[in-house]
Amino acid sequence: MAKVQVLNVAVLDNPSPFGNPFQFEVTFECMEDLPEDLEWKIIYVGSAESEEYDQTLDSVLVGPVPAGRHMFVFQADAPNTGLIPESDAVGVTVVLITCTYRGQEFIRIGYYVNNEYTDTELRENPPLKPDYGQLQRNILASNPRVTRFHINWEGCAEKMEDSENVDPAPIAMRPPSCTPGKAPPLGLVPDNSMDCL
Amino acid sequence: DKLTRPWLPVSKPIFSVDIHPDGTKFATGGQGEDSGKVVIWNMAPVLREEDERNENIPKLLCQMDNHLACVNCVRWSNNGLYLASGGDDKLVMVWKRAAFIGPSAVFGSSSKLANVEQWRCVMILRNHTGDVMDVAWSPHDVWLASCSVDNTIVIWNARKFPEIVMTLKGHTGLVKGLTWDPVGKYIASQADDRSLKVWRTMDWQLETNITKPFSECGGTTHVLRLSWSPDGQYLVSAHAMNNSGPTAQIIERDGWKTNMDFVGHRKAVTVVKFNPKIFKKKQKNGSTPKPSCPYCCCAVGSKDRSLSVWLTSLKRPLVVIHDLFDKSIMDITWTLNGLGLLVCSMDGTVAFLDFSQDELGDPLNEEEKNAIHQNIYGKSLAITMESQLSSTIIENPEMLKYQQERQVNQNPNEAQGIGPESQTPKLTNVLNGESLEDIRKNLLNKQVETRTADGRRRITPLCIAQLDTGATAAVNSIGMKSNLLLTSASKIEPMKALDSRFTERSKATPGVTSVPLTIGITPLDRVKDCSSVKEPKGKDETSSDSEDKIMVKSMAKRKGEMEGAEVVEKRKKGRPRKDAKMMPISQPFPQVTFLLSKDKEPSRLTTPIAVLKLPTPSIQKSFSTQVSTDGVTYLEVENEVSVVSGSRLSQLKWSREGREWDALLPSRIIIAAGSNDVVAVACEDRTLSVFTACGRRLIPSIILPAPMSALHCSRHFVMALTASATLSVWDVQKQTALVKNESLNPILSGTDATVSQSFLTQQGVAVVSLSNGKTYCFNSSLETWNLIADKQDSLVQCTDFRNCVSAQDALGSMGPLALTQGRNLSAGRLASRLSSTPHHLQQGMTLAFLEKQLSSALVLLSASEYRHWLLIYARFLVNEGYELRLRELCQDLLGPVHKSSSSSWEPTVLGLRKRDLLTEVLPVIGQNLRFQRLFTEYQDQLELLRLK
């Protein structure tokens, strides 16, 4: 079970001019003290066509996280307009908030974002080159898409457990030469060599 | 009966249902959207139609989707504080209600229903390696049992989660049902291996294995929920077969006989649930009350989608409801009053049935039910844990008063933990009085942001509630209410390409071998159910469209993911189970070698003991001794002070605080001894002279058979130990002999030991300690030597009664017994080192030791020590549950209530009134509720005698 449950994400400063920073107020609950920080990212999807145009607006570490309920505001600068295909600047796209623990993503919260001109004139006759100064960003805050992933919260601890679980029998069957450095020279078998066998 | 069709807006299968002990809510467990789902519902709308219609009365109280996979079982603890759930994710979760202020919803869930109550997972119990099928709390919530498709049953210590008490192994198939017997003596389990097993809770061993009624069964039912009748007499199984017909097998506790069954269902029985009440026939007005046998009521649910309700007093079912659901019945729960019944089904619905008392009968009250248990199982329940009895009903006001007094005296914290509501976790508000709204306004400016060494931003989150107290402070308004303007939401055209981005992890994320569980994915066999989900409100057309699309998309992807999941599964199977294995007790019984002092010490007794000889003191010219402690009294002896007419006189001089007297004796004085009352001197001519404290001669010179070896005075007793190893004790006041020239042969023969110490108690009991560490006293009534202390006694060294000794007891332990055992009383010294000594062994040794102490104190006529050990003994008996001994003890102390000449009962022991002792012992007994009957019985009789 996930140690961290996201209870709520409030979208602040919405709708807002395109150039304003994104602001998400995240409330989450943690079942037990986390030894490591959580890493949160805001990813702006520049184009539906390709992940190539994804921009990680910012990534931030959040910690320390003791057991309990916490909140923070994650603010990230607006996307670099230079990296957005001009044809995709206006219209619907997606902004993603992801959280990873020990490098594993366990939650992904997605919002539809609608970028449009507030000016009716511009709306009806949009310029070929998008005028970002006139664009308004509207995040569909009421409809978050939350995807939870099952991760290994214990991190490397689990790997250790797994190695412990290797059936000891094959090791016991292994000839002593398989453990280099420990193998005694032939003819000089020490008394405790029985242990190896 | 009334049948209410369910209103629950649930469309996923419901596998389990359980009504809270307070009857105000019930829990269901089953399949959620992408996880297992536990839901807590309000009971009121189920019970009353007007509440159902009332919009202000919430139906849903809380939903929890923490389980990663389908929830197979939900069960409330008997005290109602906890809910346990078990699921396909191999986990057992224990839930507790957290303090709440306002409703909240599961973030991002499609359901907009808010949680009215906050239930938090307080414990995750991991041990099973397969789906958990059933969980069950033991009576008094001492244990929680869970069973699984890994063929095991795990008994968890419910007072110390996640401690495992025992893993019950023996089933060779998926274990699909559990039930405790009502007194907690057994737990029964039913499995796909065509067996029903009954396990003892005493030692967690198999009591019986029943296979015959199940030999024809196939593993075709999802669950096999069996049930034990509330009177404990019958155990009824789920799916059994008789003559190729499906039945519910009745198993009698008495001999585990399987002669009866419930017949009639057309398909396998999935669940049996006894009504918690025991009933008796309803007395009709006017008719003469006839004594009738109490009976039980049992509901049986089957895969044939029908439900039958039986009374054990009737041959035919009380009621049968056919085609109650569209799919198999999965679980049944009764209301606590026994008149209502909730049934859940795989089809995702729950039905409520309502009975009247005319139909079922008059339920017995708790007292009557308890009386039945007492009748059947005796006064002493099998379980010895005192804590388990905390919820025992206190049966009479005297006991209640006593228990209440006790609780007041105890730590008030302890007394608090009883009421169910007193456990409601306290809020720990960490917001320092600021409202959450204020904080939110400035959070961005206020929150601490630093840079890590590599220049990354790091935000310290604002802690708004600490979880460990179970509190979830003032986070309420955040809910899912969005105060934002949804401008042109309808204009947003969902784009397929974008949709996939919601669920696919970015490639940059280092992929671990974990299985993505995405929204909208449900197991394939439940596709039909989930595709039929239609949320009637709370969603606009477009977004629900998009959701469906996502669902379809993810369905297509599912196959691949499933395979991945299986790989993970297999990998995990290689893990060794973390069973709590009992360490074999390899440490042998402590070997204490009895030192028989074979090493020859230089002794005057080198010759074989033909004639025993004790050393005599050499004659000194003069010596003095201090004889009495209160008022410094000295005896001064000066031999051959003067020669008068040829005979040499010796002088004995007594002095106390300035007063003094002296006496002249014709022979040289060897030993002088004295007490407050008497002074005795032994002379070379084998005479013994006894004087009063004022110097008056009491008796003419006593001629001793041999020279004096040791001489003691105590009060008006004189003890003489002669060189020929004989003992005499006289009461010089009464001028009688208590011990007449008794030989020490019985205690000295066969050993090389010598007398190392001797003394006389205040009561005139002679005590002789030998060099081999043994101490004896002469019991003048039995005319025998009694062993009262042995430094090498293994019993002494292995006892452990420290928890029975109270602080004030230290005072009472002064006396001759303590003197002989002295500092060498090493009781319990080894106890800690012998922690591996089996408990029953140590228990037996302690019991033996305490009884020895008691009898020794008796022989030594040491009243204060007798009382001291009596109380320790009583406490030990109470703690360890020795009822028979306790009863005998009480009986002896109480004596016959009515005077009779034939009775040989002595009202006093060592000058202590026995009934006074009983008055002291009774509160000790009252500390254990198990012995409340005993307490009451003797308390009443004492009271009766007092009134006489």
Side-chain angles (χ1 to χ4, degrees):
Chain A
M1 199 190 73
K3 282 186 186 170
V4 172
Q5 304 273 338
V6 174
L7 301 175
N8 190 44
V9 175
V11 184
L12 309 179
D13 188 25
N14 184 47
S16 69
F18 188 86
N20 274 18
F22 282 91
Q23 281 184 19
F24 296 100
E25 180 203 85
V26 180
T27 308
F28 66 96
E29 195 171 83
C30 185
M31 308 294 291
E32 54 194 82
D33 297 2
L34 292 183
E36 287 182 26
D37 286 354
L38 296 168
E39 184 182 2
W40 294 81
K41 275 186 197 158
I42 299 179
I43 299 163
Y44 187 80
V45 175
S47 167
E49 306 305 319
S50 167
E51 283 185 38
E52 217 179 292
Y53 301 102
D54 281 9
Q55 291 185 41
T56 299
L57 300 185
D58 205 349
S59 100
V60 64
L61 297 172
V62 169
V65 183
R69 200 177 264 203
H70 311 274
M71 66 197 296
F72 69 98
V73 174
F74 189 2
Q75 177 171 300
D77 288 337
N80 181 346
T81 52
L83 300 175
I84 301 170
E86 286 180 357
S87 57
D88 290 310
V90 180
V92 175
T93 185
V94 159
V95 66
L96 300 167
I97 304 165
T98 68
C99 187
T100 59
Y101 184 68
R102 295 189 202 261
Q104 308 161 77
E105 183 177 332
F106 64 91
I107 191 164
R108 158 165 298 217
I109 301 151
Y111 288 100
Y112 286 115
V113 179
N114 189 27
N115 297 312
E116 60 183 1
Y117 293 108
T118 42
D119 185 76
T120 32
E121 174 69 18
L122 281 170
R123 207 183 292 177
E124 274 155 29
N125 303 301
L128 270 178
K129 198 171 167 59
D131 181 358
Y132 287 105
Q134 296 296 314
L135 269 182
Q136 189 198 50
R137 178 181 67 216
N138 187 1
I139 300 170
L140 182 53
S142 63
N143 196 14
R145 293 301 181 77
V146 181
T147 312
R148 296 180 174 96
F149 304 98
H150 188 26
I151 65 158
N152 174 7
W153 288 90
E154 305 309 323
C156 46
E158 182 101 338
K159 277 176 199 161
M160 274 167 59
E161 249 176 63
D162 283 348
S163 66
E164 273 173 13
N165 295 333
V166 175
D167 191 348
I171 296 170
M173 301 292 280
R174 217 180 280 166
S177 57
C178 279
T179 51
K182 276 192 176 180
L186 284 172
L188 282 169
V189 180
D191 291 342
N192 65 350
S193 68
M194 282 305 285
D195 297 347
C196 306
L197 304 169
Chain B
D1 61 306
K2 191 183 87 183
L3 173 64
T4 316
R5 279 307 295 188
W7 42 260
L8 306 184
V10 181
S11 40
K12 304 269 162 56
I14 297 179
F15 285 84
S16 185
V17 63
D18 198 36
I19 297 175
H20 190 273
D22 72 7
T24 59
K25 50 187 157 244
F26 66 97
T28 58
Q31 183 63 45
E33 294 194 6
D34 59 338
S35 60
K37 194 171 204 171
V38 177
V39 184
I40 297 171
W41 306 88
N42 196 359
M43 196 72 192
V46 178
L47 298 173
R48 283 173 296 274
E49 227 171 301
E50 59 267 31
D51 286 350
E52 189 185 342
R53 281 193 296 267
N54 188 339
E55 290 285 322
N56 298 323
I57 294 176
K59 293 183 173 69
L60 190 149
L61 299 178
C62 185
Q63 35 184 343
M64 298 91 93
D65 60 355
N66 299 37
H67 270 288
L68 293 170
C70 184
V71 176
N72 291 314
C73 190
V74 286
R75 292 291 181 258
W76 297 98
S77 64
N78 297 289
N79 61 15
L81 289 177
Y82 298 99
L83 175 72
S85 59
D88 283 355
D89 55 3
K90 307 169 189 140
L91 303 179
V92 176
M93 293 192 190
V94 180
W95 306 83
K96 189 179 186 199
R97 188 171 172 186
F100 73 96
I101 293 187
S104 72
V106 179
F107 177 67
S109 92
S110 56
S111 162
K112 297 288 181 271
L113 288 167
N115 286 339
V116 177
E117 288 185 0
Q118 306 290 332
W119 287 78
R120 289 273 172 276
C121 178
V122 290
M123 190 53 70
I124 300 171
L125 304 175
R126 301 166 205 268
N127 185 260
H128 286 295
T129 54
D131 308 3
V132 177
M133 298 309 295
D134 206 2
V135 292
W137 297 86
S138 77
H140 310 303
D141 301 327
V142 179
W143 301 298
L144 175 69
S146 59
C147 66
S148 161
V149 300
D150 67 9
N151 300 1
T152 68
I153 299 149
V154 173
I155 311 290
W156 308 87
N157 182 351
R159 294 171 197 271
K160 253 163 94 183
F161 284 132
E163 188 182 292
I164 293 174
V165 176
M166 186 52 96
T167 304
L168 308 182
K169 292 175 186 170
H171 276 296
T172 54
L174 323 181
V175 190
K176 290 181 169 178
L178 285 175
T179 183
W180 295 88
D181 96 303
V183 292
K185 198 173 175 187
Y186 300 112
I187 179 168
S189 56
Q190 193 174 348
D192 269 354
D193 60 4
R194 294 171 196 174
S195 79
L196 184 157
K197 294 187 200 295
V198 180
W199 315 76
R200 290 186 294 268
T201 59
M202 191 116 77
D203 53 3
W204 303 111
Q205 296 302 304
L206 190 66
E207 166 79 16
T208 187
N209 184 25
I210 297 162
T211 53
K212 202 168 149 265
F214 312 106
S215 54
E216 294 175 60
C217 294
T220 54
T221 55
H222 187 83
V223 289
L224 294 166
R225 302 197 205 273
L226 64 175
S227 182
W228 214 303
S229 68
D231 62 2
Q233 291 292 73
Y234 301 105
L235 170 64
V236 178
S237 79
H239 187 36
M241 296 290 271
N242 188 359
N243 279 328
S244 324
T247 62
Q249 182 65 46
I250 301 171
I251 297 146
E252 286 173 66
R253 186 200 195 89
D254 184 18
W256 310 114
K257 291 193 284 278
T258 54
N259 299 329
M260 297 179 287
D261 48 19
F262 293 129
V263 197
H265 281 285
R266 287 155 292 152
K267 284 187 183 170
V269 170
T270 48
V271 50
V272 173
K273 195 62 158 277
F274 267 99
N275 191 310
K277 292 285 180 193
I278 303 172
F279 295 92
K280 59 183 182 224
K281 231 184 186 130
K282 181 123 186 117
Q283 300 294 350
K284 292 207 175 66
N285 286 340
S287 71
T288 50
K290 276 181 285 183
S292 68
C293 245
Y295 52 87
C296 297
C297 171
C298 181
V300 179
S302 160
K303 269 181 91 174
D304 68 7
R305 302 174 288 130
S306 66
L307 177 86
S308 57
V309 178
W310 304 71
L311 300 180
T312 53
S313 59
L314 298 177
K315 286 207 169 129
R316 320 218 108 251
L318 181 74
V319 63
V320 180
I321 304 161
H322 289 294
D323 304 327
L324 185 59
F325 298 103
D326 298 334
K327 286 184 182 171
S328 167
I329 289 177
M330 296 307 289
D331 204 1
I332 301 171
T333 177
W334 288 90
T335 58
L336 209 61
N337 67 12
L339 295 176
L341 181 67
L342 279 176
V343 192
C344 74
S345 160
M346 194 88 114
D347 71 6
T349 54
V350 174
F352 180 67
L353 273 80
D354 203 5
F355 293 92
S356 72
Q357 282 200 0
D358 288 324
E359 290 165 313
L360 295 182
D362 281 332
L364 298 188
N365 59 29
E366 281 304 311
E367 251 171 62
E368 292 168 304
K369 191 167 155 182
N370 210 39
I372 287 181
H373 283 174
Q374 294 282 349
N375 262 337
I376 298 172
Y377 308 108
K379 295 200 173 183
S380 134
L381 299 185
I383 312 151
T384 50
M385 223 186 288
E386 191 186 357
S387 54
Q388 276 175 266
L389 295 144
S390 57
S391 53
T392 304
I393 296 153
I394 295 175
E395 295 174 354
N396 74 38
E398 198 61 35
M399 189 71 193
L400 185 66
K401 203 175 102 200
Y402 174 69
Q403 289 287 340
Q404 281 167 344
E405 279 167 11
R406 240 184 107 211
Q407 279 195 356
V408 171
N409 295 335
Q410 272 177 355
N411 188 348
N413 291 341
E414 248 175 83
Q416 272 181 5
I418 291 165
E421 282 313 307
S422 64
Q423 289 258 328
T424 313
K426 286 173 205 92
L427 275 175
T428 30
N429 198 335
V430 279
L431 302 179
N432 296 328
E434 278 182 278
S435 87
L436 196 68
E437 284 304 318
D438 291 346
I439 285 173
R440 292 182 65 201
K441 267 177 217 155
N442 289 311
L443 185 57
L444 183 62
N445 302 327
K446 275 181 150 180
Q447 73 186 10
V448 181
E449 190 171 318
T450 52
R451 292 269 169 187
T452 62
D454 53 353
R456 300 193 55 190
R457 289 170 68 195
R458 184 182 195 234
I459 295 171
T460 303
L462 177 75
C463 183
I464 51 178
Q466 277 159 3
L467 201 68
D468 48 355
T469 49
T472 60
V475 183
N476 47 2
S477 53
I478 335 179
M480 266 313 289
K481 82 178 153 186
S482 52
N483 42 6
L484 298 159
L485 292 166
L486 302 177
T487 57
S488 69
S490 56
K491 282 189 203 162
I492 296 177
E493 291 285 307
M495 295 148 74
K496 276 188 195 172
L498 284 174
D499 284 346
S500 69
R501 304 299 304 278
F502 288 129
T503 53
E504 273 168 26
R505 271 199 262 197
S506 54
K507 293 192 175 96
T509 311
V512 187
T513 56
S514 53
V515 194
L517 297 173
T518 57
I519 275 191
I521 291 188
T522 51
L524 289 171
D525 54 338
R526 287 162 188 151
V527 172
K528 213 182 123 221
D529 294 304
C530 61
S531 58
S532 66
V533 185
K534 283 288 173 222
E535 287 286 345
K537 52 191 170 188
K539 212 176 271 182
D540 60 63
E541 278 300 313
T542 45
S543 74
S544 76
D545 268 2
S546 75
E547 186 148 313
D548 284 349
K549 274 176 206 155
I550 286 174
M551 200 183 294
V552 174
K553 259 176 93 100
S554 12
M555 294 304 309
K557 277 193 294 190
R558 178 158 174 81
K559 189 130 202 226
E561 281 162 7
M562 275 300 286
E563 278 158 17
E566 269 160 16
V567 170
V568 173
E569 192 92 347
K570 269 181 198 143
R571 193 169 55 81
K572 284 192 175 164
K573 273 196 179 130
R575 277 197 211 180
R577 284 205 208 103
K578 292 173 199 157
D579 290 338
K581 289 199 182 78
M582 293 292 288
M583 293 302 293
I585 297 154
S586 56
Q587 194 150 339
F589 183 82
Q591 296 244 320
V592 180
T593 46
F594 286 82
L595 296 171
L596 293 169
S597 47
K598 286 283 181 231
D599 45 324
K600 305 263 192 256
E601 42 185 274
S603 160
R604 270 150 290 209
L605 304 171
T606 41
T607 45
I609 312 144
V611 181
L612 287 164
K613 209 167 149 52
L614 296 183
T616 51
S618 55
I619 297 170
Q620 291 161 296
K621 177 77 181 75
S622 66
F623 62 93
S624 69
T625 49
Q626 187 180 347
V627 290
S628 173
T629 46
D630 57 294
V632 187
T633 309
Y634 287 103
L635 277 178
E636 281 172 61
V637 168
E638 208 162 334
N639 285 326
E640 298 176 322
V641 274
S642 58
V643 181
V644 179
S645 61
S647 65
R648 292 166 176 188
L649 295 180
S650 297
Q651 193 188 42
L652 170 74
K653 195 172 175 185
W654 178 95
S655 65
R656 177 197 280 175
E657 290 159 356
R659 290 183 294 132
E660 54 178 63
W661 53 265
D662 50 37
L664 288 172
L665 292 157
S667 176
R668 285 190 291 180
I669 297 166
I670 307 172
I671 315 174
S675 69
N676 278 346
D677 299 332
V678 292
V679 174
V681 285
C683 298
E684 200 182 8
D685 60 359
R686 293 196 277 138
T687 59
L688 175 71
S689 303
V690 182
F691 304 90
T692 66
C694 299
R696 185 170 52 90
R697 181 176 273 274
L698 265 173
I699 16 176
S701 294
I702 298 169
I703 303 301
L704 297 165
M708 187 65 78
S709 173
L711 178 68
H712 301 284
C713 295
S714 178
R715 286 171 62 205
H716 49 88
F717 300 105
V718 177
M719 163 185 169
L721 207 56
T722 66
S724 59
T726 59
L727 169 78
S728 299
V729 178
W730 301 278
D731 179 342
V732 292
Q733 196 175 49
K734 289 184 185 159
Q735 308 258 341
T736 54
L738 299 174
V739 181
K740 234 185 290 175
N741 216 23
E742 199 64 48
S743 172
L744 269 67
N745 199 26
I747 59 171
L748 282 175
S749 66
T751 71
D752 287 346
T754 54
V755 174
S756 60
Q757 199 200 354
S758 60
F759 70 93
L760 186 64
T761 72
Q762 294 277 303
Q763 281 71 34
V765 178
V767 177
V768 178
S769 299
L770 301 188
S771 57
N772 61 10
K774 292 184 163 64
T775 302
Y776 300 88
C777 75
F778 193 79
N779 183 337
S780 49
S781 50
L782 293 176
E783 299 197 327
T784 53
W785 287 98
N786 293 149
L787 178 68
I788 55 170
D790 185 350
K791 283 173 190 165
Q792 267 92 42
D793 190 349
S794 56
L795 283 177
V796 181
Q797 310 215 358
C798 301
T799 53
D800 188 6
F801 53 86
R802 280 166 299 181
N803 57 343
C804 303
V805 183
S806 66
Q808 63 261 37
D809 282 342
L811 303 168
S813 65
M814 299 300 288
L817 188 59
L819 203 63
T820 61
Q821 292 169 339
R823 251 176 266 144
N824 294 310
L825 174 62
S826 47
R829 196 172 57 177
L830 287 175
S832 56
R833 270 187 270 158
L834 295 169
S835 53
S836 62
T837 310
H839 179 69
H840 69 273
L841 203 59
Q842 193 173 58
Q843 201 183 28
M845 289 195 285
T846 308
L847 186 73
F849 171 76
L850 291 175
E851 285 174 349
K852 234 165 102 178
Q853 289 295 90
L854 209 53
S855 58
S856 295
L858 209 55
V859 171
L860 286 172
L861 308 177
S862 172
S864 68
E865 284 178 304
Y866 179 76
R867 187 183 150 272
H868 168 75
W869 289 105
L870 180 73
L871 287 174
I872 293 179
Y873 180 59
R875 254 176 240 128
F876 181 75
L877 292 184
V878 167
N879 286 354
E880 303 291 328
Y882 285 102
E883 191 179 5
L884 278 179
R885 277 184 158 86
L886 210 51
R887 185 167 282 280
E888 191 184 63
L889 182 72
C890 290
Q891 194 53 52
D892 177 55
L893 293 178
L894 181 75
V897 181
H898 305 286
K899 284 195 183 87
S900 76
S901 52
S902 62
S903 168
S904 59
W905 184 73
E906 289 289 332
T908 62
V909 56
L910 305 179
L912 301 166
R913 287 194 61 231
K914 284 184 176 175
R915 284 168 185 167
D916 291 347
L917 287 175
L918 183 60
T919 317
E920 284 190 79
V921 166
L922 275 179
V924 175
I925 296 173
Q927 280 166 16
N928 189 339
L929 268 185
R930 166 128 57 93
F931 295 123
Q932 57 171 313
R933 297 272 168 116
L934 194 71
F935 173 86
T936 312
E937 190 180 324
Y938 285 97
Q939 181 81 10
D940 289 351
Q941 292 190 69
L942 267 186
E943 196 59 37
L944 201 73
L945 288 166
R946 210 168 288 144
L947 294 173
K948 267 186 182 174

